């Protein structure tokens, strides 16, 4: 009889222990405390099951980490992804039908994001960007999530991409418990970036061409939207060029007058965009679903605008087109490599950005490689 009571007691205690473990997991037992890119200490749950993205294009960063499980845990995102990069969105929906069912927490700007919608999704992690189209650190969304004890992690690929891509990927690896995947991507990224930086390190200023990059060329009423110190301007400097907009802008993105561009008469002119085959207006067609001929024709069209067509770089065949979304993506290493080839073809004769892109897709991305992401204006 005593033995039977002891057995029942041990079984009861084991049941209580299992219930305690289950409750700890379901209530978000802390796995670790990490420091995000905003310098905030964030307690990450042991098991993250429901993720909200402050910007839809953060999917670029999650893809190398989650791979075939990319949409297993995403329950909400902002709607700018399907607007800013419609072709990539379509490809992800084709590969992951669940992507079309992810709840929208807002449209294309931070002021459209509804904290109530986010909280209704019962997230156990929110991933936001320090800069960009989504809610920032001082937003009402962050305050409400913190009041609800939902951890918020900040990363960034936009303001200072070449400084912040590696730490941001590492933070995401920690938060999502994808450390090995994050370190593999970081090793790939850093090795390609170091190769470029090491070769241009000792180039004298006179050997660095002057460069102007017009962002979203043709889609704005007037030229010229561009990057200064940071953002795509950092790609220009890393690739061994001199960004003529850097001393003219107070921030990392802004506008300068066409007259200033004409007066500077840069050695190299780059235009970027993300429009797809269905778009009929003047713009740079680039990215998924765009073939090389369409991309080149669109670049040639925007280069024929008054003032732009007279630039020495355009006349001499030193004008190029680029995918705009490199400006906010951990795939920015491709932009650095292709710029290095454009700026210093002899120095980087052995560098093959197409091979780097093929490696990116084959090793890290769960959708097939397709489309055109850069092109010479002349064949």
């Amino acid at each position: 009889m005593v033995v039977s009571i002891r057995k029942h007691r041990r079984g009861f205690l084991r049941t209580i222990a299992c219930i305690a473990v289950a409750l700890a997991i379901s209530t978000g037992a802390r796995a670790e405390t990490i420091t995000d890119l905003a310098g905030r200490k964030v307690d990450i749950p042991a098991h993250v099951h429901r993720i909200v993205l402050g910007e839809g294009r953060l999917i670029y960063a999650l893809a190398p980490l989650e791979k075939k499980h990319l949409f297993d845990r995403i329950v909400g995102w902002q709607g700018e992804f399907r607007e800013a990069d419609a072709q990539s969105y379509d490809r992800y929906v084709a590969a992951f039908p669940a992507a079309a069912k992810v709840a929208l927490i807002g449209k294309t700007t931070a002021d459209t994001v509804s904290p109530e919608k986010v909280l209704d999704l019962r997230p156990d992690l929110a991933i936001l960007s320090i800069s960009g189209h989504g809610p920032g650190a001082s937003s009402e969304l962050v305050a409400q999530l913190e009041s609800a004890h939902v951890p918020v992690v900040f990363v960034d690929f936009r303001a200072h991409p070449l400084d912040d891509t590696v730490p941001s990927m590492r933070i995401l690896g920690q938060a999502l418990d994808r450390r090995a995947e994050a370190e593999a991507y970081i090793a790939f990224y850093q090795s390609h970036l170091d190769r470029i930086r090491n070769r241009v390190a000792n180039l004298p200023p006179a050997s660095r061409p002057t460069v102007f990059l017009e962002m979203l060329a043709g889609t704005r009423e007037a030229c010229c939207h561009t990057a200064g110190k940071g953002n795509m301007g950092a790609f220009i400097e890393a690739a061994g060029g001199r960004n003529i907009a850097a001393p003219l802008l107070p921030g990392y993105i802004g506008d300068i007058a066409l007259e200033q561009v004409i007066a500077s008469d840069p050695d190299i002119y780059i235009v970027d965009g993300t429009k797809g085959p269905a778009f009929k207006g003047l713009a740079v067609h680039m990215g998924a679903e765009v073939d090389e001929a369409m991309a080149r024709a669109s670049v040639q069209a925007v280069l024929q605008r008054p003032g732009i067509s007279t630039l020495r770089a355009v006349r001499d065949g030193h004008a190029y087109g680029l995918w705009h979304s490199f400006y906010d993506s951990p795939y920015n290493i491709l932009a650095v490599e292709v710029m290095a080839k454009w700026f210093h073809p002899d120095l980087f004769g052995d560098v093959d950005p197409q091979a780097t892109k093929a490696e990116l897709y084959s090793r890290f991305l769960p959708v097939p490689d397709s489309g055109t992401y850069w092109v010479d204006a002349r064949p």
Side-chain angles (χ1 to χ4, degrees):
M1 182 66 174
V2 174
V3 173
S4 177
I5 291 173
R6 286 176 177 170
K7 285 182 178 178
H8 283 297
R9 186 167 179 268
R10 284 197 296 269
F12 175 75
L13 291 174
R14 280 197 297 269
T15 301
I16 292 296
C18 290
I19 291 173
V21 169
L23 285 172
I25 292 173
S26 66
T27 56
R30 189 174 76 184
E32 64 177 320
T33 299
I34 68 172
T35 302
D36 72 4
L37 204 65
R40 302 160 59 256
K41 300 290 185 182
V42 185
D43 294 338
I44 303 297
H47 299 272
V48 172
H49 299 292
R50 300 179 64 81
I51 300 168
V52 166
L53 302 181
E55 288 194 20
R57 282 175 293 177
L58 283 167
I59 206 71
Y60 299 145
L62 267 63
L65 308 181
E66 297 282 74
K67 295 188 173 68
K68 66 180 181 180
H69 300 291
L70 183 55
F71 287 92
D72 289 1
R73 300 190 279 180
I74 299 172
V75 297
W77 57 2
Q78 191 170 295
E80 98 294 342
F81 178 35
R82 64 187 66 189
E83 299 289 335
D85 188 7
Q87 305 96 270
S88 292
Y89 172 78
D90 290 343
R91 292 191 69 78
Y92 273 103
V93 170
F96 300 92
K101 301 176 183 178
V102 174
L104 291 179
I105 62 170
K107 297 179 181 178
T108 61
T109 58
D111 61 332
T112 64
V113 173
S114 167
E116 291 76 19
K117 285 184 179 179
V118 175
L119 291 170
D120 284 346
L121 293 171
R122 297 178 290 107
D124 44 29
L125 178 66
I127 302 172
L128 308 183
S129 291
I130 288 178
S131 61
H133 293 264
S138 60
S139 68
E140 178 64 21
L141 174 63
V142 173
Q144 292 202 25
L145 286 170
E146 290 179 339
S147 294
H149 304 290
V150 177
V152 180
V153 170
F154 279 94
V155 294
D156 198 68
F157 300 94
R158 190 172 187 260
H160 304 288
L162 300 188
D163 294 328
D164 292 342
T165 290
V166 166
S168 291
M169 292 301 289
R170 185 163 284 131
I171 287 164
L172 290 174
Q174 294 170 330
L176 301 176
D177 196 18
R178 300 290 191 192
R179 293 164 181 80
E181 292 84 354
E183 293 304 322
Y185 187 81
I186 288 168
F188 159 79
Y189 180 93
Q190 197 69 61
S191 64
H192 285 273
L193 182 58
D194 287 347
R195 176 172 60 172
I196 303 299
R197 281 178 161 167
N198 291 340
R199 291 192 192 179
V200 304
N202 296 318
L203 282 176
S207 298
R208 296 171 182 257
T210 56
V211 182
F212 184 74
L213 189 153
E214 184 187 355
M215 302 173 80
L216 301 172
T219 62
R220 293 169 173 258
E221 290 186 8
C223 184
C224 302
H225 187 57
T226 189
K229 296 182 180 72
N231 197 260
M232 280 192 167
F235 307 163
I236 294 171
E237 301 295 336
R242 287 180 287 156
N243 178 19
I244 67 169
L248 302 175
L249 293 178
Y252 59 86
I253 287 181
D255 297 275
I256 66 174
L258 173 60
E259 292 75 15
Q260 179 65 61
V261 177
I262 293 172
S264 300
D265 199 19
D267 299 317
I268 291 174
Y269 199 88
I270 302 172
V271 292
D272 80 17
T274 60
K275 296 302 183 182
F279 187 79
K280 301 303 181 184
L282 184 66
V284 173
H285 293 240
M286 201 73 65
E289 301 177 4
V290 176
D291 64 31
E292 185 174 329
M294 176 181 289
R296 179 172 290 113
S298 72
V299 169
Q300 291 172 344
V302 300
L303 292 176
Q304 293 309 306
R305 289 169 297 158
I308 304 300
S309 62
T310 64
L311 294 172
R312 177 169 47 89
V314 176
R315 297 196 317 267
D316 293 349
H318 297 137
Y320 308 92
L322 194 66
W323 186 51
H324 175 67
S325 289
F326 283 130
Y327 93 117
D328 194 17
S329 161
Y331 317 152
N332 55 56
I333 183 57
L334 297 176
V336 177
E337 280 200 350
V338 76
M339 284 184 185
K341 292 278 287 189
W342 291 337
F343 302 170
H344 304 284
D346 294 335
L347 186 60
F348 293 102
D350 62 328
V351 172
D352 185 352
Q354 290 289 355
T356 304
K357 180 165 74 79
E359 182 183 2
L360 169 69
Y361 274 87
S362 65
R363 290 184 57 195
F364 299 105
L365 301 187
V367 291
D369 182 3
S370 79
T372 304
Y373 293 83
W374 55 84
V375 71
D376 290 18
R378 293 184 182 178

